Amino acid sequence: MTAGAKAQRRQYTSTARTHFLRLESSNRHPPHSAFQRSLSPPHKMSYFRITLMRSGIGMPAKTQGVLKALGLKKRMTTVYHPVSQSVAGQIMRIKELVDVREVKRALTPAEQKAARRPAPGYYVESKAAQAMKEWE
């Protein structure tokens, strides 16, 4: 492999894979005693928010299988998966079709629906019944 090809390969490393490698290297040297382990802060789990931006129609069967395994069926659907090496590998297989963000917690379907709801465009100053009583 030439030096240019190596540099190009390093350039396309995804954030998912580098994040997992950082996690793996930080877990390489565990604390030495049970007391030190009890003092360490609890590990907070993070998630990949994966949104299907482009359709899998016309893609190879392997690519469509990865989309199905991740639970992505329609365009603009979003799924949450915990950060892991296997999920990072699946994302690498379909990186051209998806948008991936790392989030601290997964949203429930109700929270996703509430986030999509636009502002009403108006606000209520007072109720109609109260306004009529004040006017009289």
Side-chain angles (χ1 to χ4, degrees), residues 27-132:
N27 292 335
R28 196 166 289 165
H29 304 291
H32 298 292
S33 69
F35 178 72
Q36 285 178 335
R37 270 187 248 121
S38 67
L39 289 179
S40 65
H43 183 280
K44 295 198 179 197
M45 181 176 250
S46 57
Y47 292 87
F48 287 130
R49 186 184 82 190
I50 308 167
T51 304
L52 184 62
M53 302 303 283
R54 298 186 63 194
S55 174
I57 295 174
M59 293 289 159
K62 274 189 172 183
T63 304
Q64 290 182 0
V66 172
L67 290 173
K68 187 175 181 181
L70 287 173
L72 295 167
K73 297 176 183 171
K74 297 180 180 179
R75 285 186 59 235
M76 304 310 290
T77 56
T78 301
V79 294
Y80 291 87
H81 289 283
V83 173
S84 68
Q85 187 176 11
S86 62
V87 174
Q90 289 176 330
I91 291 170
M92 288 299 292
R93 296 291 299 225
I94 58 168
K95 63 183 175 278
E96 299 87 8
L97 305 177
V98 296
D99 177 47
V100 181
R101 306 256 184 221
E102 187 178 344
V103 294
K104 295 199 184 286
R105 69 180 192 93
L107 296 178
T108 63
E111 290 172 332
Q112 288 180 20
K113 186 174 181 180
R116 284 193 309 266
R117 180 170 290 138
Y122 61 90
Y123 63 94
V124 177
E125 289 184 14
S126 64
K127 301 285 184 186
Q130 289 176 339
M132 288 303 292

